[in-house]
Structure formats: structure tokens, C-alpha cells
């Protein structure tokens, strides 16, 4: 049976000075489904979600949530009305505890004035137990690896008991086991009847987790199809707007001089370890591939 529409975004446009980031974009998310949103970097995916979440104000278009037209003025408004979002960029209070981060702005109170520390710890444990998250609620955020901080962010979004949850590139800093864990959480939310919007570059992931796939290109909506009718070649064709007969063509350019030489670069809060690479003039696009190996294929594809 075809599930009913839980969220409809129609004709959404948004411009920034000099850039039309969204041009009459449509998106319909059905109840109890995972809706993937795909497109090259800069296609407008995050902007569309920020328009939904009240971070940006759309220039035109309508948003209908559960049959009612809505316009959220800020993210608090969105959260209180059934839309949560896990952002691409983590924005957490690093010097505060995990549970502080979870309840910031909505602390449980005693007699409306005192923060109910015990109540907060209990609620945090309950949410973490339901989701199978093993992070210590008392740990200071900055002491956690980025993947655990990401799991806290995911737990926080889920804790609002929202109708729609947006995951904007959630797996870029997660380990394989954590990705499996996230997928179990997403399946649980789907079974509860939530609508999930899932943004990722990783096509294997998309084809595994999603029911529908919407594709955007240059700020425009290109197509929405059931994931079962798509394969990687078709997704790429829709994303870049032309046939790709040879995904990895022979290089024909002559490498130019080295302008950046990085040796053994490691990050304290990332999985980056001993990265060594050279950046040559006119090859600036290659920089990102060194941190996330799975994206290597994608970036090559985009730049064919
Ligand atoms: N705050 C902003 N100010 C100006 N331009 C922006 C802003 N946010 C996004 N853009 C531009 O809008 C376009 C879409 O960006 P974005 O939504 O982040 O793409 P995606 O998430 O698909 O990679 C890009 O050209 C980007 O540079
Ligand atoms: Mg984005």
C-alpha cells in the first residue's frame, strides 16, 4: 500500500546574493519511509533542509506537514512542531556534558526554576537505552571522538519524538559498526511511522536504506524515484545530467607543479591518520578525497 504524504514541500525557492540556491524545488516524503536526497556538492540539499527547519526563510513555496501548512521561524519552532535535524556540521557545546547538550534549552525543571539534574540523567539513560547508545551521559563533549559526538546528536534529534527527522550526511564520521547502528535506529523510526530525509553521497548506503530517492542538480529538483528502480549509473546520470559511459577515464592532463605538500597529517578528533598528499596546481578539487576514502569514487565520478 502506498503510504500517505507526511511532508510536502512545493515550489521552494531561495536565493543568496549572487546565487539562486533553490529554484522551485518539490519534495514529498511519505509516512514511514526513508527519503534520500541526492545531488552533487552545492546542489542545494542542505539549503532546502534549512528552509524546512527554519534556519533560512524561503523566498517562495509552501510546506505542508501532516496536512497543515507550516512556516517555522527558527529551529526551536521546527523542533517543537515535529521536525528535527542532524546537521552536517556539528555545533555542540564542547565544554559541557553529553546530557547538557541533549537538554540544552529544554532542561527538565523542579518548581519551574531549578534544573532537575537527576531527572535529566534518568531521561538521558532512557533515550540512550532505547537507541542502544553507550556514550557516558556525564562525559564532557570535547573528550569524545567525533563519531560518538555524532551519535549524541542523532540521539538528541530522535529525543524530540519528531514526525520528520532530517539526517544531513550523518555517516561521514561514523565507523562501519556505527553506521549499522544508525541504520537500525532509522529502521526503528521508519517502523514508528516517521518520515526520514536522508542526505548522503554514498550510493551503496542510499540504495540500502531508502524507499524513495529525490535528485537535485544546480538548485533544481530533477527526479524522484523508488530506490528499487534505481542503480548507481542511473543516479549518477541524474545527478550530473548526462550519460557517463566511462566512469574512470584515462587522465590526459600533464600534472603541474606542487602547491601544497602534506606529510603525515593526523587529527585528534577525526579518523584522519598519517595522511600524506600533494596538491598540484589546477587540481584543487582532490583535497576532500583524502579524508573519506569511500568518497573517492564519487568525486572522481563528479569530475569526469
Ligand atoms: N549561507 C549562504 N550564503 C551564500 N550562499 C550559500 C549559503 N548557503 C549555501 N549557499 C550556496 O547555495 C548553494 C547550495 O548549497 P548547499 O545547500 O550547501 O548545497 P549541498 O548541501 O547540496 O552541497 C551553493 O552554491 C552554496 O554555495
Ligand atoms: Mg550540504
Amino acid at each position: 500500500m502506498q503510504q500517505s504524504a507526511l511532508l510536502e514541500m512545493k515550489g521552494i525557492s531561495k536565493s543568496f546574493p549572487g546565487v539562486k540556491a533553490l529554484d522551485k524545488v518539490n519534495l514529498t516524503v511519505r509516512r514511514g519511509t526513508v527519503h534520500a536526497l541526492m545531488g552533487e556538492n552545492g546542489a542545494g540539499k542542505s539549503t532546502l533542509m534549512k528552509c524546512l527547519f527554519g534556519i533560512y526563510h524561503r523566498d517562495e513555496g509552501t510546506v505542508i506537514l501532516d496536512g497543515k501548512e507550516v512556516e517555522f521561524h527558527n529551529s526551536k519552532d521546527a523542533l517543537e512542531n515535529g521536525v528535527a535535524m542532524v546537521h552536517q556540521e556539528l555545533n555542540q557545546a564542547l565544554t559541557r556534558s553529553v546530557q547538557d547538550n541533549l537538554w540544552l534549552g529544554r532542561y527538565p525543571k523542579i518548581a519551574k526554576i531549578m534544573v532537575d539534574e537527576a531527572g535529566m540523567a534518568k531521561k538521558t539513560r532512557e533515550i540512550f537505552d532505547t537507541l542502544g547508545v553507550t556514550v557516558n551521559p556525564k562525559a564532557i563533549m570535547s573528550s569524545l571522538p567525533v563519531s560518538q559526538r555524532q551519535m549524541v546528536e542523532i540521539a538528541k534529534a530522535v529525543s524530540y519524538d519528531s514526525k520528520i527527522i532530517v539526517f544531513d550526511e550523518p555517516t561521514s564520521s561514523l565507523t562501519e559498526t556505527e553506521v549499522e547502528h544508525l541504520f537500525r535506529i532509522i529502521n526503528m523510526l521508519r517502523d514508528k511511522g516517521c518520515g526520514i530525509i536522508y542526505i548522503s553521497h554514498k550510493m551503496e548506503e542510499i540504495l540500502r536504506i531508502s524507499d524513495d530517492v529525490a535528485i537535485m542538480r544546480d538548485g533544481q529538483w530533477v527526479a524522484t524515484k523508488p530506490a528499487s528502480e534505481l542503480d548507481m549509473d542511473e543516479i549518477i546520470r541524474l545527478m550530473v545530467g548526462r550519460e557517463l559511459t566511462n566512469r574512470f577515464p584515462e587522465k590526459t592532463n600533464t600534472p603541474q607543479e606542487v602547491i601544497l605538500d602534506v606529510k603525515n597529517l593526523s587529527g585528534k578528533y577525526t579518523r584522519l591518520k598519517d595522511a600524506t598528499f600533494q596538491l598540484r596546481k589546477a587540481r584543487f578539487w582532490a583535497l576532500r578525497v583524502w579524508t573519506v576514502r569511500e568518497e573517492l569514487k564519487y568525486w572522481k565520478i563528479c569530475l569526469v
Side-chain angles (χ1 to χ4, degrees):
M1 195 190 77
Q2 186 84 343
Q3 296 92 332
S4 59
L6 177 59
L7 173 76
E8 285 177 274
M9 300 183 78
K10 292 186 200 162
I12 308 292
S13 297
K14 173 76 188 168
S15 291
F16 298 108
V19 189
K20 183 135 196 173
L22 299 175
D23 185 8
K24 298 194 167 51
V25 175
N26 299 320
L27 187 83
T28 301
V29 180
R30 297 178 293 132
R31 214 176 290 277
T33 62
V34 177
H35 198 102
L37 187 52
M38 297 202 75
E40 292 186 83
N41 236 9
K45 307 176 297 291
S46 296
T47 304
L48 183 66
M49 292 302 104
K50 286 176 182 171
C51 285
L52 167 67
F53 198 57
I55 295 175
Y56 295 150
H57 297 285
R58 56 185 183 265
D59 301 335
E60 60 171 338
T62 47
V63 179
I64 298 166
L65 176 64
D66 221 356
K68 270 199 294 206
E69 191 169 336
V70 291
E71 170 142 28
F72 303 129
H73 299 288
N74 49 50
S75 44
K76 188 165 182 282
D77 200 9
L79 285 164
E80 286 170 357
N81 286 283
V83 179
M85 180 161 172
V86 177
H87 292 272
Q88 195 171 3
E89 317 84 19
L90 286 177
N91 186 9
Q92 297 168 321
L94 289 179
T95 55
R96 308 296 292 268
S97 69
V98 166
Q99 65 185 34
D100 274 343
N101 271 272
L102 213 64
W103 302 106
L104 218 59
R106 50 173 184 152
Y107 284 126
K109 299 261 176 63
I110 300 173
K112 291 194 181 162
I113 43 166
M114 270 169 50
V115 174
D116 178 5
E117 290 282 346
M120 188 158 72
K122 183 166 172 280
K123 283 172 94 172
T124 308
R125 269 196 308 275
E126 279 168 9
I127 289 165
F128 281 8
D129 286 350
T130 317
L131 301 178
V133 171
T134 51
V135 177
N136 174 7
K138 298 272 169 63
I140 297 299
M141 216 58 184
S142 62
S143 70
L144 299 177
V146 78
S147 62
Q148 287 196 7
R149 284 173 45 205
Q150 181 74 311
M151 289 311 283
V152 172
E153 206 56 21
I154 289 164
K156 181 176 176 176
V158 174
S159 76
Y160 281 91
D161 219 5
S162 303
K163 295 176 194 158
I164 292 281
I165 304 185
V166 180
F167 291 90
D168 194 349
E169 305 216 21
T171 57
S172 41
S173 54
L174 298 187
T175 62
E176 252 170 64
T177 324
E178 285 160 339
V179 172
E180 291 306 316
H181 187 176
L182 172 64
F183 283 5
R184 283 197 299 278
I185 295 177
I186 289 182
N187 282 328
M188 189 183 87
L189 296 168
R190 171 168 33 203
D191 292 346
K192 262 176 56 183
C194 295
I196 311 293
I197 302 176
Y198 190 86
I199 302 178
S200 172
H201 280 144
K202 299 177 188 168
M203 292 192 218
E204 289 88 353
E205 234 175 68
I206 291 286
L207 290 173
R208 215 184 115 194
I209 193 82
S210 35
D211 299 287
D212 300 313
V213 181
I215 292 162
M216 292 179 65
R217 191 192 320 139
D218 297 333
Q220 293 183 331
W221 169 76
V222 173
T224 303
K225 296 190 176 216
S228 56
E229 290 176 15
L230 287 168
D231 57 24
M232 281 198 208
D233 288 340
E234 176 71 355
I235 294 178
I236 296 163
R237 191 183 66 76
L238 292 165
M239 273 169 43
V240 300
R242 61 191 160 89
E243 290 296 337
L244 291 176
T245 43
N246 185 1
R247 278 206 221 163
F248 303 107
E250 288 298 311
K251 279 190 238 153
T252 51
N253 66 316
T254 321
Q256 298 185 38
E257 80 264 28
V258 173
I259 53 170
L260 179 70
D261 195 356
V262 175
K263 290 205 173 76
N264 306 108
L265 178 71
S266 300
K268 194 168 174 189
Y269 299 113
T270 69
R271 282 193 289 155
L272 188 66
K273 206 165 173 217
D274 279 337
T276 296
F277 65 93
Q278 288 183 332
L279 186 65
R280 290 175 186 273
K281 205 169 172 183
R283 306 288 288 173
F284 63 92
W285 54 264
L287 194 53
R288 190 166 173 191
V289 306
W290 301 96
T291 58
V292 185
R293 272 181 72 205
E294 299 93 314
E295 286 192 356
L296 181 59
K297 261 195 260 163
Y298 171 76
W299 282 97
K300 275 194 176 171
I301 292 161
C302 291
L303 288 150
V304 166

